């Protein structure tokens, strides 16, 4: 399957989400957070580095829960980064 290259805005959006989740993870290990969210460490790594610009909603919700962020806080932080 051939993937369409990401646009600059898609890349930036993925990087913003990844930065937020990585910051919220703090000192917890990727293994711990991934296990809590029931995703692979590699999936978490891709999200945190922005390589997955549009992760599934339920994946984002699970990671946010694992790092102690509500979805409202995640949205607020994303909007704040855009200012």
């Amino acid at each position: 399957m051939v993937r369409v290259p990401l646009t600059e805005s898609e890349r930036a959006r993925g990087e913003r989400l990844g930065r937020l989740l990585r910051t919220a993870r703090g000192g917890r290990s990727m293994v711990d957070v991934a296990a809590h969210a029931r995703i692979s460490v590699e999936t978490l790594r891709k999200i945190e580095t922005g390589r997955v610009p549009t992760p599934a909603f339920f994946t984002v919700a699970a990671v946010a829960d694992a790092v102690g962020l509500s979805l409202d806080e995640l949205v607020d932080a994303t909007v704040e980064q855009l200012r």
Side-chain angles (χ1 to χ4, degrees):
M1 176 168 102
V2 176
R3 292 185 183 208
V4 177
L6 299 174
T7 66
E8 190 57 41
S9 66
E10 289 171 329
R11 190 178 341 276
R13 182 180 59 221
E15 289 171 356
R16 280 192 307 274
L17 175 62
R19 196 169 29 254
L20 286 168
L21 294 173
R22 189 172 47 253
T23 299
R25 179 166 57 86
R28 291 179 61 191
S29 73
M30 290 183 96
V31 172
D32 181 46
V33 172
H36 187 276
R38 296 186 173 169
I39 62 172
S40 71
V41 174
E42 185 57 27
T43 297
L44 181 58
R45 183 181 329 315
K46 287 177 181 178
I47 292 169
E48 285 191 355
T49 59
R51 289 178 44 214
V52 178
T54 55
F57 172 79
F58 293 106
T59 302
V60 173
V63 174
D65 180 63
V67 297
L69 282 177
S70 71
L71 292 179
D72 287 336
E73 290 171 318
L74 189 59
V75 169
D76 290 346
T78 302
V79 170
E80 185 62 34
Q81 277 191 357
L82 292 174
R83 292 182 184 168

